[in-house]
Every structure is written in structure tokens, then in C-alpha cells.
Amino acid sequence: MIASSRPFLPVLVRREHASLTVKLVAPPVALGLATLLNLGLYVLMGRDPVAVFHAMLLEPFLSWVSFSEVLLKTGPLLLIAQGLAIGFRAKVFNIGAEGQFILGAIFASAIPIWFPAATGQWIWPSMLVIGALGGALWASLTAFWRVRLNANEILVSLMLALVAAQLLNYLLLGPWKDPAGFNFPQSVMFQYDAMVPILIPGTRVNVSLLVAVAFSLAAWVFMQRSFAGYKLQVGGLAPHAAGYAGFNEGRAIWLSLLIGGFAAGLAGAAEVAGPLGQLQRSISTGYGYAAIIVAYLGGLHPVGIVFSALLMAALYIGGDNAMVSANLPVAAVRVFQGSLLLAYLVAIAFVRYRLVWRHAAHGSTS
Amino acid sequence: MNAVEFIVAGMLAAATPFLLAALGELVAERAGVLNLGVEGLMALGAVIAFIVVYQGGGHLLGFLAAGLASAALSLVFAVIALGFRANQVAVGLAIGILGQGLSALFGKSYESLTVRGLPKLSLPWLSDIPVVGGLFAQDIVVWLSLAATVAIWATFAYTKTGLVVRAVGENPKAAHALGYPVIAVRFAAVAFGGVLAGFAGAYAAVVYTPLWADGMIAGRGWIAIALVVFGTWLTSRIFLGACLFGAVSLASLAAQATGLGVSSQLLSSLPYLVTVIVLGIISSNRRLLKLNGVASLGEPFER
């Protein structure tokens, strides 16, 4: 072909086989890319990028105390993301986990708030169970709207998350407000037996981390080894084929949303029965939304999600560090989260495509 | 002023952020692109407009800057979702989170500050009619938004441009075979949606409630996306839907002011509940959605 003045442009060409290598290196590449972009932003904001990098990405791992806080935050992120990933693989986009998390926290809090004098080892386990059911119940509204009314689950689950936040406000400003709490929007402190036992002495890490790990294991078995999980995945990848095979779409949607709501509700319950010890307005710092990023970054795979949950938890702790030591606004964490997901979505494009440089013209080289 | 007069007079202004954002999303969706980042695009537009107006740049410059900023962010969406053919749902969510994060970051030192809004321009005689007269006294942005609504309706109904956008959304392969640049049309539609989302955010922050507070968009971007479904991808119905939501948000304000004894949290969640209920009613008519929906919505285009 004769060299011409036509510009040389990159074109994405479909690979014959999806690249497993790219799939494995995509998350670290995305992390590197997002880190570079955000450090650039901090320089523009007049912050010392080295100090922010140290505070945000290294410090969480440098001391046992801060790493234990990372583990504490990993619990809820891991739980919610495992639940969401199951739905995402079935192409059921539950993005209202934040609301299911809040409902889990509310349901769990009902026990210590209504029975403040109760004692016994049964209290915290039943809080976790009731919280999980509360989350599943909230998600079942979305499932009903989607299956019976054909409504888009993205919009319904998100709207219900906004409603849940208002419901929490209502309870904390009204019936569940601590009468001796100087009018702060928070409930009474829960009794000792309403607390999930500490797992690692000397830290705040509690048994709910084990619950999250067990749930991850169950998610792996369900998705990789069970027929029900297989049916969900086929429904997501090839809905028509799933229909011909007689896999029920409505059942897949119900299952996806109930599992997602159950996990998010469990996480919410573990939060009030764990580090907080009361129902507060700030029970969730966007866990439900961050877990969406965790799920994608982990490749929607139960094993990958364990790593991405740890990373996201470290980012939360690192963001707090950077706020104190480098005067970085807390919103910087959200910016980092958003750009991390974008970078990842670019990186995984190369799982299915490769870049080829071509002359820009209609079919000149193809 | 009684509650009815209050709602009639303020409905259009309250509807404008919904209307502008929903019209922008309509154009993107008609071209086959589902951009779920509207909430973030609005938040970014809002903070940029607020900063420009607060620094004395004036409303015109504020709106222009907001439109540019949100268009730039929506082009990031377009590059990743259309260029790299990534999952549009995921890219939209990421853009939403990024936009909200950026708006909180930029707006940090402006928290709770206020600016001056825009004066109302009244139509002679009409605005003197009792009860409904308030409807005819609106600020310039509301009047321009109404004009934009008509223009977009006419573009889809009567022009070749509108036809090309719809063809690209309905059947991109056929549109490509006819020689239309599918990806370029989609980029343009997304950028147009970005500009309108930026304007919507700007209106919310420097005209409708001219003060800055983090999270002030409060789900309006998401409701705008729902409005496109309510309106079954028709400009006229989207306009009516936006008016409904304008009225609902004003009614909840009026009810809070009169203290009807209903909890303010219930009233604040009214727009979200109405969205869920209306979405259920409209969507359950599967034939209607199938007839008016966009065939290739959310699907990447490959030659």
C-alpha cells in the first residue's frame, strides 16, 4: 500500500480468544492509571503528591493498627460486592445496595432499641439474621417492580435507596432518637450483648469479617459450582439461549436481587452491631455505591472481589489519613473511586479487543 | 399566596432542571446510548456555574462554563463507552460517582454560600390573570427551556438530523450501511446531553435555589433518566412529566411550610416514591415501551 497523507489511527479489533492475561493485569494497570491521574489532580490543587501518595496508598498497610482498620472496612464492602456481583453477572443491575444496607441496619437495630434490657448470646446473631432479611425485603420491592411491572431495576433500586436514607432520618429524628442524646440524630447505645464479638484482640475487627469471608466462599461455590448459579450466568450472557433452555428469567431476577439485598442487609446489621454500637445517620459512607466499583474491579469473580474489597477499604482509610496529614478533602476519595472504575473499564476493553494502527479511510487496509 | 397559586407559579421553574436533563438524556437515548451519569453531570455543572457566578462572572458565563464542563465529562463517557465499547451501565455509574466527587471537591470552599438568582420576565396581561397568572412570570432560562423543548420536538419530528439520530439508535447497522457515521452521531448526541445536563445543574444551583450545598442535585439526575421512560421517549410527554415533578416537589415544600403534620422526611421522599410508582404503572404496559423504546439502546456498535 502506498504511504499517504491519511492519518494513522488506532482501531480496536476483536481478538479471536478473550485474553486471560489482560483480565488479570487489568486491575493493577487501572490502579496505576487512576493513581497517576489523581496525583496529577492533587498537584493542580497545590498538594504535595508524594505526601498524599504515602498517606493514601502506603500508610494503610504500614502499621498493624491502620491495617486492622482496613480489615474492619473490608467486611461490609466484601459482603455487599459479593452479593451485587452475582446479580451483575446475570445482568440484573441492583445499584441500590446503599438502601438495602440501611434497611439492614434499621431492622437489626430494632432488637436492642425495643429490648434494651435483654441479655444473652442470642442477641447479636439474631440482629444479623433480621438485618439480612430486612435488606432482602427492601430488595424484593425492586424485584417485584422489575418482574411483575417490567420496571427498570436500576432506577427503582436507586430511588428506593434515596427513600431508605429519608426513612433512617425519620427514625433518628423521631421515634428512635436517644432521649438523652442532646438532640443528636442517633439512637441509644446498644447493650453489650448486641455487639458482634471481637475477632482479633486489641483491634476493632470483629466476627463479621469471618461472615463476609464465609459468604465469599458460598458465592464462589454458588457461581462456579452450582446449577442455579450457572443458570444465572447463562441468563446474563445469552438471554435467548437461557429462554430456550427453559431457564426462568423472573426467577433469576428475584434470586439476584434477594441475594444482593440479603448481603447488603447483613453488612448494615454488622455495622450497627459492630464498630458503631448504635444507629446513626452516618452508618454508611457510601458503601453501597463503592461496592459496585469493588464488584467490577474484582472482575465480578468471588476471588477477585476479595482483593478489590481490600483495596477499596484501604482507599477509605488512606483517604482519612490524607485528609489529616495532607489536608485533602474527603471528596477526593469519591473522585478516586470514580476514576478507578473508569480506568478499569478501559483496561478490560483489551480483554476482548486489541489495538491496531490503521490508515483512516473506509476499508483501506481491511 | 395560597398553595395552588404557589404551585402554579413555581411549577415551571421547579420543572426546569428535570426538563433540561431529561431532554439531554432523550437525545442520547434516541441515538442508542444509555448515559446513567446524568446525576454527576448535573452536579459538576451546578458547582462550575456556582463558582463562576459567585466570582462575579455573571449568569451567562456561568451557564456556558457549566455546559462546557459537563460536555467534557460526558465526552469521557463517550470515549470509554463508545470508543472502548465498555458496558454503558458501568461507565455511566462511574461518571456519576466521578462527577459528584468532583463537584464536592470543587465546591468545598463554597459550602452554604449564596448568589443572586435571575429576575422574572412577565408576559403582559397574561401574568395579571388571577390564580394562574404566576405561570406567565418566569425567568429567562425557563422561557428558553420551553423554546428548546419545542426545538427538540420539531427536530425529531421534521428534520433530517432528527431522522439520522433516530436511525442510528434504532438500527445502527442499517444507518452505517447508508453511510451515516454511527459513532460520530452518538458522540454528538452524548455531548449534547452533557451540555443540557450542565445547564440543568446550573439552573438548580444559580437560579432555582441559588446557594451551594454538597449533594444539592439530590437525585434529580436520576429522576430525569426515569422521565425519559415515563415520557416513552416522546418530547411532549417528557415535558408533561417534568411539570408533574416540578409540581410534586413544590407541593411537598408547600406542605412542609404549612405544617400539615406530615413528617418532612416523607415529603422529601415524595418525588422518589412518585418516580417508583409512575415507573411501575408506565412500564407495566409492555407494548407501549416496546413500541416507543429505542431498539439498540445500550448496545455497543461494531461494524
Side-chain angles (χ1 to χ4, degrees):
Chain A
M1 190 169 163
I2 303 158
S4 71
S5 58
R6 282 185 307 226
F8 226 33
L9 286 177
V11 184
L12 286 180
V13 179
R14 200 175 257 281
R15 291 178 195 269
E16 275 178 35
H17 301 286
S19 164
L20 184 66
T21 325
V22 176
K23 201 166 185 181
L24 289 175
V25 300
V29 167
L31 178 64
L33 203 63
T35 305
L36 278 179
L37 280 171
N38 281 277
L39 289 180
L41 179 69
Y42 306 147
V43 171
L44 288 179
M45 288 165 61
R47 304 294 195 282
D48 176 7
V50 179
V52 178
F53 180 80
H54 188 267
M56 226 169 152
L57 292 166
L58 296 181
E59 242 172 59
F61 300 101
L62 290 183
S63 78
W64 172 239
V65 177
S66 58
F67 186 66
S68 75
E69 289 294 300
V70 172
L71 287 178
L72 183 69
K73 282 224 186 298
T74 303
L77 288 170
L78 185 56
L79 265 174
I80 306 171
Q82 294 287 13
L84 289 183
I86 291 173
F88 290 172
R89 284 176 85 163
K91 293 256 165 32
V92 177
F93 295 105
N94 170 14
I95 62 163
E98 187 83 358
Q100 295 140 23
F101 178 96
I102 291 173
L103 262 288
I106 289 174
F107 268 62
S109 301
I111 296 180
I113 287 173
W114 285 339
F115 307 103
T119 52
Q121 276 298 305
W122 58 272
I123 297 180
W124 68 265
S126 39
M127 283 170 71
L128 293 189
V129 170
I130 288 192
L133 293 178
L137 197 69
W138 199 245
S140 71
L141 289 174
T142 304
F144 181 85
W145 246 253
R146 168 71 203 270
V147 174
R148 297 300 293 273
L149 304 176
N150 190 35
N152 181 308
E153 79 277 12
I154 299 175
L155 294 169
V156 174
S157 62
L158 188 99
M159 287 294 137
L160 289 177
L162 299 176
V163 173
Q166 293 295 337
L167 179 65
L168 177 68
N169 278 343
Y170 165 75
L171 289 172
L172 292 178
L173 293 167
W176 283 10
K177 185 167 70 178
D178 179 5
F182 304 103
N183 245 350
F184 278 111
Q186 55 193 31
S187 76
V188 292
M189 289 300 291
F190 300 163
Q191 62 267 43
Y192 178 76
D193 284 339
M195 297 295 156
V196 181
I198 293 293
L199 181 67
I200 307 174
T203 71
R204 300 201 293 160
V205 180
N206 61 44
V207 170
S208 66
L209 183 64
L210 282 187
V211 175
V213 171
F215 189 86
S216 303
L217 207 65
W220 182 80
V221 171
F222 178 74
M223 287 313 272
Q224 316 297 126
R225 291 284 175 269
S226 81
F227 187 52
Y230 172 74
K231 284 201 283 193
L232 276 185
Q233 291 185 51
V234 174
L237 287 171
H240 289 297
Y244 282 123
F247 302 167
N248 186 327
E249 192 200 2
R251 269 194 60 177
I253 295 165
W254 271 103
L255 200 59
S256 298
L257 276 156
L258 287 180
I259 292 174
F262 183 90
L266 190 56
E271 208 58 16
V272 288
L276 296 178
Q278 66 180 164
L279 192 63
Q280 304 175 348
R281 206 179 245 181
S282 59
I283 47 171
S284 170
T285 38
Y287 286 148
Y289 303 113
I292 298 172
I293 301 173
V294 172
Y296 275 110
L297 207 61
L300 302 182
H301 191 284
V303 177
I305 290 170
V306 173
F307 292 101
S308 57
L310 257 174
L311 170 68
M312 190 62 74
L315 215 55
Y316 267 110
I317 302 298
D320 286 348
N321 291 342
M323 195 168 66
V324 178
S325 63
N327 190 25
L328 199 71
V330 70
V333 172
R334 267 196 284 171
V335 174
F336 199 110
Q337 289 175 344
S339 48
L340 182 57
L341 180 52
L342 288 177
Y344 175 73
L345 291 168
V346 171
I348 52 156
F350 294 97
V351 172
R352 283 176 300 136
Y353 299 99
R354 61 200 166 82
L355 212 53
V356 174
W357 290 81
R358 275 186 190 163
H359 282 288
H362 275 287
S364 55
T365 54
S366 57
Chain B
M1 200 192 281
N2 65 29
V4 174
E5 281 174 343
F6 174 73
I7 292 171
V8 167
M11 184 180 70
L12 283 178
T16 296
F18 295 116
L19 177 64
L20 286 173
L23 287 176
E25 181 68 11
L26 168 72
V27 172
E29 290 196 13
R30 273 287 180 92
V33 186
L34 179 65
N35 182 358
L36 293 178
V38 181
E39 183 84 5
L41 296 174
M42 279 180 78
L44 183 66
V47 76
I48 296 291
F50 189 87
I51 291 172
V52 170
V53 173
Y54 188 82
Q55 298 294 347
H59 279 77
L60 181 61
L61 202 61
F63 270 82
L64 289 178
L68 268 178
S70 300
L73 188 58
S74 73
L75 281 175
V76 175
F77 170 90
V79 167
I80 299 174
L82 306 176
F84 288 97
R85 294 168 207 155
N87 179 338
Q88 291 183 11
V89 171
V91 186
L93 292 175
I95 289 289
I97 293 169
L98 181 62
Q100 285 172 279
L102 286 174
S103 100
L105 202 61
F106 296 155
K108 195 174 173 261
S109 44
Y110 293 87
E111 193 69 28
S112 311
L113 295 178
T114 58
V115 292
R116 198 187 286 265
L118 283 174
K120 304 263 187 231
L121 307 175
S122 315
L123 295 184
W125 298 319
L126 286 172
S127 53
D128 298 328
I129 303 172
V131 186
V132 296
L135 197 59
F136 302 102
Q138 304 291 344
D139 59 70
I140 177 86
V141 184
V142 172
W143 294 126
L144 288 175
S145 303
L146 294 178
T149 309
V150 175
I152 288 171
W153 167 78
T155 303
F156 279 126
Y158 295 117
T159 71
K160 194 179 167 199
T161 311
L163 210 61
V164 171
V165 170
R166 285 166 61 181
V168 162
E170 281 305 318
N171 193 337
K173 287 224 157 85
H176 174 69
L178 288 170
Y180 294 114
V182 173
I183 296 294
V185 170
R186 288 187 169 178
F187 259 81
V190 168
F192 183 82
V195 171
L196 284 196
F199 287 169
Y203 187 80
V206 298
V207 185
Y208 185 58
T209 43
L211 89 152
W212 178 251
D214 183 24
M216 68 172 301
I217 298 303
R220 280 182 280 189
W222 286 103
I223 293 179
I225 297 173
L227 272 174
V228 178
V229 182
F230 295 174
T232 57
W233 294 270
L234 296 173
T235 317
S236 52
R237 292 194 195 160
I238 288 172
F239 173 73
L240 291 178
C243 289
L244 169 75
F245 274 88
V248 166
S249 32
L250 279 180
S252 83
L253 275 182
Q256 283 179 42
T258 52
L260 285 175
V262 186
S263 93
S264 71
Q265 288 82 28
L266 177 64
L267 292 169
S268 302
S269 49
L270 203 59
Y272 313 137
L273 290 170
V274 172
T275 305
V276 169
I277 291 164
V278 181
L279 206 53
I281 294 170
I282 303 262
S283 305
S284 61
N285 189 342
R286 286 165 204 255
R287 247 191 84 231
L288 184 74
L289 284 202
K290 210 160 197 156
L291 227 69
N292 292 310
V294 178
S296 78
L297 187 61
E299 284 167 18
F301 171 68
E302 259 177 88
R303 276 175 214 177

